[in-house]
């Protein structure tokens, strides 16, 4: 089991994430600059109004916005990116469905 204390998102990283969501350009700035989460830089491979996906080597991050929350998840190299994305997107759908 991962130690959650070792994986913490800093306030300035949260500001970077929120800024990416506020960017209404067709190609968001974060797609060329990357995204920093928990001290690591990720190459952004998807950025739209709802989701931000980033890769760093064989690991990655999935960030999905709901009505009242932003889900930030990390997947290790032992998890397929598509499976991780499906799980996080379904959780977001559920939360949106219950008004969260």
């Amino acid at each position: 089991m991962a130690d959650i204390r070792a994986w913490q998102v800093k306030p300035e990283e949260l500001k970077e994430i929120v800024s990416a969501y506020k960017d209404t350009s067709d190609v968001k700035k974060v797609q060329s600059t990357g995204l920093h989460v928990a001290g690591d830089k990720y190459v952004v491979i998807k950025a739209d109004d709802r989701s931000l996906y980033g890769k760093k080597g064989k690991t990655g991050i999935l960030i999905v916005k709901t009505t009242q929350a932003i889900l930030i998840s990390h997947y290790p190299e032992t998890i397929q990116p598509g499976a991780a994305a499906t799980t996080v997107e379904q959780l977001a759908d559920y939360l949106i469905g219950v008004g969260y």
Side-chain angles (χ1 to χ4, degrees):
M1 178 179 264
D3 184 354
I4 194 71
R5 293 170 295 179
W7 202 84
Q8 295 184 1
V9 182
K10 299 176 180 117
E12 60 270 17
E13 295 169 337
L14 287 174
K15 287 180 185 176
E16 195 175 335
I17 291 166
V18 170
S19 178
Y21 279 117
K22 288 182 178 180
D23 184 349
T24 58
S25 308
D26 286 338
V27 177
K28 294 179 181 281
K29 181 180 175 187
V30 73
Q31 290 174 282
S32 61
T33 61
L35 192 61
H36 296 86
V37 176
D40 290 322
K41 183 176 181 180
Y42 292 86
V43 174
V44 175
I45 57 174
K46 177 182 178 178
D48 60 33
D49 293 340
R50 173 179 155 134
S51 305
L52 300 169
Y53 292 7
K55 290 280 288 175
K56 179 182 177 199
K58 294 181 180 182
T59 68
I61 56 167
L62 303 162
I63 304 170
V64 184
K65 182 174 68 168
T66 70
T67 307
Q68 298 183 42
I70 296 176
L71 305 177
I72 303 173
S73 60
H74 174 268
Y75 62 88
E77 62 183 73
T78 56
I79 302 295
Q80 291 293 320
T86 298
T87 300
V88 176
E89 293 284 356
Q90 287 177 346
L91 176 58
D93 289 340
Y94 170 77
L95 292 172
I96 290 167
V98 296
Y100 194 78

